[in-house]
């Protein structure tokens, strides 16, 4: 984002608001990132307690994270579930976005509202509903149940991302391919998919992060032995506060920042492919 300079003809109240607005934005930014700035240094504390100033620096909590079976199994569980959710939700969300992008699609607004409702509805309500529904069909305490539940939460992000990418897609390309004898499947893989691929990958990354960071639904439908990384962190806070949690939190923060940076780079590449920006 480029900050526009204040015009020379601005009045005194406009100048005051110009600087006050930036002070307010900076204060909000500091307020939001302050917990991160506190947690990350504590993950390098050499002693098993939280204090400033730290008596020394150490990587012992990162070593415990990667060697303790409780943490490694939770990390492995999160990766397995997140990868499965990413594959399923990306496929379903892309297909849904392709259908919704058609101009004459019936009841488009209603269907779109239903698809993105998991984002609007509080996750605790979704978790309770999934728990009672899964209890009836026998999907509680199972990895497929967790994957399906996370897929329901992650698919709306794929739908929104791919739909936004398709909004700038030139449909005449597919019509030209059809006029040359190409079938819809061939046109999709040769023309549509390469152009919208940055949006699809961005949606998949959002789905991965959504599943990887989710804890509320897992608390309801997973068994005590099925611990994802967020659930392990939540349980660790309740049962025994360990500095290893700060190391896990730091790794999650770095992972989230990396994913957001990748999404932004993909968004810019998608805009270049569609000719929106140079």
């Amino acid at each position: 984002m480029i900050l526009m300079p204040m015009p020379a003809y601005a009045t005194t109240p406009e100048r005051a608001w110009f600087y006050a607005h930036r002070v307010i934005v900076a204060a909000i930014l500091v307020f939001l990132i302050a917990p991160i700035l506190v947690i990350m240094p504590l993950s390098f504390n050499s002693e098993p307690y939280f204090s400033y100033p730290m008596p020394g620096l150490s990587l012992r909590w990162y070593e415990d994270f990667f060697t303790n079976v409780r943490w490694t199994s939770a990390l492995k569980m999160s990766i397995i579930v997140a990868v499965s959710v990413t594959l399923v939700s990306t496929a379903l969300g892309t297909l849904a976005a392709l259908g919704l992008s058609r101009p004459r699609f019936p009841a488009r607004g209603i269907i779109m509202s239903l698809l993105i409702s998991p984002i609007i509805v509080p996750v605790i309500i979704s978790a309770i509903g999934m728990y009672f529904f899964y209890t009836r069909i026998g999907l509680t305490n199972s990895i497929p149940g967790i994957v399906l539940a996370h897929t329901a939460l992650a698919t709306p992000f794929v739908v929104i991302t791919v739909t936004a990418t398709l909004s700038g897609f030139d449909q005449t390309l597919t019509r030209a391919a059809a006029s040359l004898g190409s079938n819809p499947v061939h046109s999709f893989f040769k023309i549509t998919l390469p152009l919208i691929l940055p949006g699809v990958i961005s949606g998949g990354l959002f789905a991965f992060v959504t599943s990887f960071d989710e804890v509320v639904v897992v608390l309801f439908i997973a068994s005590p032995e099925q611990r994802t990384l967020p659930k392990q962190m939540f349980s660790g806070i309740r049962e025994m506060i360990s500095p290893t949690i700060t190391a896990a939190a730091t790794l999650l923060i770095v992972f989230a920042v990396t994913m957001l940076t990748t999404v932004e780079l993909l968004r810019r590449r998608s805009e270049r492919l569609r000719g929106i920006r140079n």
Side-chain angles (χ1 to χ4, degrees):
M1 182 179 65
I2 301 176
L3 295 177
M4 299 300 295
M6 182 174 56
Y9 54 81
T11 62
T12 300
E14 289 175 340
R15 290 175 181 273
W17 172 246
F18 179 85
Y19 293 109
H21 178 263
R22 278 151 179 74
V23 172
I24 293 172
V25 172
I28 294 174
L29 180 61
V30 172
F31 176 78
L32 291 176
I33 68 174
I36 298 176
L37 299 178
V38 171
I39 289 297
M40 295 183 71
L42 285 175
S43 65
F44 298 97
N45 191 5
S46 61
E47 299 297 330
Y49 52 81
F50 306 102
S51 66
Y52 279 107
M54 295 184 296
L57 300 178
S58 174
L59 296 175
R60 59 183 297 190
W61 310 121
Y62 290 93
E63 181 182 359
D64 182 64
F65 178 82
F66 287 108
T67 56
N68 191 315
V69 65
R70 293 178 65 86
W71 290 101
T72 55
S73 61
L75 178 61
K76 181 180 178 181
M77 176 77 170
S78 289
I79 293 176
I80 292 174
V81 171
V83 170
S84 303
V85 170
T86 301
L87 295 176
V88 178
S89 60
T90 301
L92 295 178
T94 301
L95 291 175
L98 289 171
L100 293 170
S101 65
R102 298 181 179 275
R104 297 184 179 180
F105 192 87
R108 182 178 183 275
I110 297 176
I111 296 176
M112 187 67 173
S113 300
L114 291 175
L115 287 176
I116 66 174
S117 59
I119 300 178
I120 303 171
V121 177
V123 66
I124 185 66
I125 296 177
S126 300
I128 294 173
M130 291 176 182
Y131 170 75
F132 284 108
F133 177 69
Y134 283 5
T135 300
R136 291 179 177 272
I137 62 176
L139 278 178
T140 54
N141 303 331
S142 66
I143 294 180
I146 299 174
V147 171
L148 291 177
H150 282 188
T151 299
L153 299 176
T155 300
F157 293 96
V158 181
V159 173
I160 293 174
T161 306
V162 178
T163 300
T165 305
L166 287 169
S167 62
F169 180 75
D170 188 1
Q171 297 292 343
T172 58
L173 296 175
T174 57
R175 290 195 290 268
S179 67
L180 295 174
S182 177
N183 58 62
V185 176
H186 185 267
S187 298
F188 172 75
F189 285 104
K190 292 296 184 179
I191 299 175
T192 306
L193 183 59
L195 292 177
I196 68 170
L197 187 59
V200 174
I201 297 176
S202 298
L205 291 177
F206 276 119
F208 186 92
V209 172
T210 300
S211 173
F212 198 81
D213 290 343
E214 205 285 321
V215 64
V216 178
V217 172
V218 176
L219 291 175
F220 275 84
I221 66 175
S223 66
E225 294 77 18
Q226 295 170 338
R227 289 174 176 253
T228 60
L229 184 57
K231 183 181 179 182
Q232 175 62 29
M233 295 173 66
F234 181 82
S235 300
I237 293 174
R238 293 186 59 190
E239 299 168 2
M240 182 184 63
I241 298 180
S242 170
T244 307
I245 296 176
T246 61
T250 301
L251 293 174
L252 287 178
I253 292 169
V254 173
F255 173 76
V257 171
T258 303
M259 291 294 102
L260 289 176
T261 303
T262 304
V263 168
E264 176 62 19
L265 294 176
L266 289 171
R267 183 188 67 82
R268 295 185 179 185
R269 183 176 185 275
S270 177
E271 290 181 348
R272 289 196 299 269
L273 289 175
R274 291 180 289 160
I276 296 178
R277 58 187 296 177
N278 296 324

